[in-house]
Amino acid sequence: MKKVLVAGTALMLAGSFVAEAQAEVNLSGDARATYVGKQDYERKDSANGYDDYFESRVGVNFDAKTPANGVSAKARLYFDGYGFEDDAPWSGEQKTTDVSVDYAYLTAPLGDWTIKAGRVNPDYSKFFSWNIRPTRLIANYKQGNVDITPFVGVRAEATTATDKWNDNDYMEYGLVTGFKLQNNWTLKAYGRYDDDQREKVDAIEIDAAGVATKVEKDAKDKTGFIGDVFLNNDGAGCDFGFHAELAYKAADVQGTEDDGLGGYVQLSKKMSDRFTPAVLAGMTKDGYVADNDFGFVMVGGDTSTQVMRVGQGGDLLFGAFVANYVVSDSLTLTGNLLYADFDNDAAGTLDSAIEVSGIAAYALNDSASLTYKAGYLTPSITSGSGVDEDAYFAHLVRLNIAF
């Protein structure tokens, strides 16, 4: 009876708090439909010809806020069974009716600090960490030109019986700092220590008769440090745009023999109200791979046309020219020319690659847009392997509607 009374009292208090707060809930979202066509993307003994498909998804944003105390909650749902960076192709059969969660977290002010907890979307930079959804507890402090964000997150909760008994999780502890310099440039730094306490991982073994058995195997330790320094002049009102970034990832975190390094420098100049060219030069070394969103149309870029991420394929030096041209208030064109040089000696590995690609974005109205992307990537393979060197080609047409 006491438990019932306590539970009832708690529910009444919670109900009175909600009623008093008079939370406001807003709905928004977007819907998209895309046609994707790819030429020679499957590389086995030879390229396999043309493959195309349609994909679509609908996302709905939930934004709730209590005006009395500033507490808010945000969530985004996708009405399919795919991840937020995955295609959801039309297959002619119903494979899933799941609703997937993109992000879901609460925000609460606490004096000079703002607390976030849940599955958050803490974008840092497209080269290092962008469009991810970790489960974290974040504290953010902003005062003048200083922005400090310590956080703790769960990379993997213990799943095996051995690790659950001792709560041997895979945790992360980090700090992001940002500084506005005297010239209004921004200097950001990211540091994170991943602490992998797992002793075992679940695995599936299949015997000679084809019977699958769930077993525990020794876990590979992924403990280590990752960090990044990013300098840019976005919003500083300069005559030119500047980005420079240097990233580091420990070998155990990457799962490689050596610690990884990556970096790039980008310069852009607005030549007129319509034309803005940019040049990039960068490198990746010892297994560092840039975030999926960094790049172009075929190399990086986070679209269905992507062949590889920047850094995949071996140690890399790359240079690129990007031209942005505003044709009208509705139409914007982007052209990319990329040369990538790989430090590979083994037969059959990438020696170099050239990408030529373009993007046309057309605003149909204030809430709808049409985008066309097309790219051509020609690889050069080290000799002696007979690996197919046919060029990759892909294009997509996407209709996106915001509501």
Side-chain angles (χ1 to χ4, degrees):
M1 178 60 70
K2 287 183 179 179
K3 289 182 179 179
V4 174
L5 290 174
V6 170
T9 303
L11 288 172
M12 286 189 292
L13 287 172
S16 64
F17 173 77
V18 172
E20 183 177 326
Q22 296 181 345
E24 177 184 324
V25 180
N26 295 313
L27 296 179
S28 61
D30 66 90
R32 77 183 193 193
T34 310
Y35 168 79
V36 182
K38 302 178 179 181
Q39 179 74 37
D40 295 342
Y41 267 59
E42 290 293 331
R43 303 293 171 117
K44 296 179 181 178
D45 295 331
S46 63
N48 76 333
Y50 189 77
D51 175 49
D52 65 349
Y53 58 89
F54 289 90
E55 66 94 8
S56 64
R57 71 180 184 202
V58 176
V60 178
N61 308 318
F62 299 83
D63 297 301
K65 186 174 182 179
T66 57
N69 52 27
V71 175
S72 64
K74 292 180 179 291
R76 179 174 176 82
L77 300 182
Y78 283 132
F79 290 89
D80 55 58
Y82 297 82
F84 59 89
E85 287 189 320
D86 297 336
D87 283 347
W90 301 350
S91 63
E93 60 184 87
Q94 183 177 344
K95 293 184 178 180
T96 178
T97 55
D98 293 342
V99 176
S100 58
V101 178
D102 184 1
Y103 56 79
Y105 63 93
L106 61 86
T107 303
L110 188 63
D112 293 332
W113 293 80
T114 300
I115 308 300
K116 292 183 179 181
R119 186 176 181 182
V120 295
N121 50 348
D123 292 339
Y124 171 80
S125 78
K126 290 187 177 182
F127 185 74
F128 185 72
S129 178
W130 193 261
N131 203 22
I132 61 171
R133 306 295 189 263
T135 301
R136 284 179 178 166
L137 174 63
I138 294 174
N140 177 247
Y141 173 83
K142 290 183 180 180
Q143 188 68 40
N145 294 327
V146 178
D147 190 330
I148 301 174
T149 306
F151 63 86
V152 57
V154 181
R155 297 193 62 75
E157 190 75 24
T159 58
T160 66
T162 301
D163 287 325
K164 279 186 176 181
W165 179 256
N166 292 313
D167 197 27
N168 294 327
D169 299 327
Y170 185 16
M171 303 293 294
E172 60 178 23
Y173 307 93
L175 176 68
V176 178
T177 58
F179 305 94
K180 278 289 185 182
L181 306 180
Q182 289 185 350
N183 55 6
N184 281 330
W185 287 42
T186 300
L187 177 63
K188 297 169 60 177
Y190 184 115
R192 191 180 87 207
Y193 181 75
D194 290 354
D195 184 18
D196 191 356
Q197 296 293 325
R198 297 172 298 175
E199 299 176 5
K200 301 288 184 178
V201 292
D202 292 322
I204 302 296
E205 286 189 349
I206 301 177
D207 61 20
V211 178
T213 305
K214 184 178 179 180
V215 298
E216 289 188 6
K217 289 189 174 183
D218 291 339
K220 292 183 178 179
D221 189 4
K222 293 185 177 181
T223 298
F225 176 81
I226 69 173
D228 184 275
V229 179
F230 182 28
L231 176 66
N232 67 79
N233 65 351
D234 295 344
C238 296
D239 293 334
F240 63 94
F242 179 85
H243 283 192
E245 193 164 356
L246 182 63
Y248 166 87
K249 288 187 179 181
D252 287 342
V253 177
Q254 295 186 138
T256 56
E257 292 185 5
D258 300 309
D259 298 340
L261 287 174
Y264 76 98
V265 175
Q266 174 182 310
L267 292 171
S268 62
K269 172 68 174 177
K270 190 171 183 178
M271 307 299 292
S272 68
D273 291 339
R274 295 182 180 275
F275 180 54
T276 303
V279 292
L280 291 83
M283 54 75 67
T284 64
K285 183 175 176 60
D286 294 328
Y288 181 85
V289 178
D291 188 277
N292 194 46
D293 285 83
F294 180 83
F296 308 91
V297 173
M298 311 292 278
V299 179
D302 183 31
T303 63
S304 309
T305 57
Q306 184 186 102
V307 176
M308 67 181 70
R309 293 163 64 174
V310 175
Q312 284 184 332
D315 291 353
L316 168 67
L317 292 174
F318 66 91
F321 174 76
V322 179
N324 292 286
Y325 187 76
V326 179
V327 179
S328 66
D329 292 340
S330 300
L331 179 62
T332 301
L333 303 177
T334 302
N336 304 307
L337 176 62
L338 166 73
Y339 177 75
D341 182 70
F342 296 87
D343 184 19
N344 292 323
D345 297 321
T349 56
L350 271 172
D351 180 61
S352 63
I354 297 175
E355 173 183 336
V356 180
S357 59
I359 304 171
Y362 185 77
L364 301 172
N365 52 48
D366 291 341
S367 60
S369 63
L370 190 66
T371 301
Y372 178 73
K373 295 187 178 183
Y376 180 90
L377 180 71
T378 175
S380 176
I381 309 297
T382 54
S383 61
S385 66
V387 174
D388 196 338
E389 287 190 333
D390 285 357
Y392 298 80
F393 171 78
H395 62 153
L396 66 80
V397 181
R398 172 169 293 168
L399 173 64
N400 197 87
I401 298 174
F403 54 85

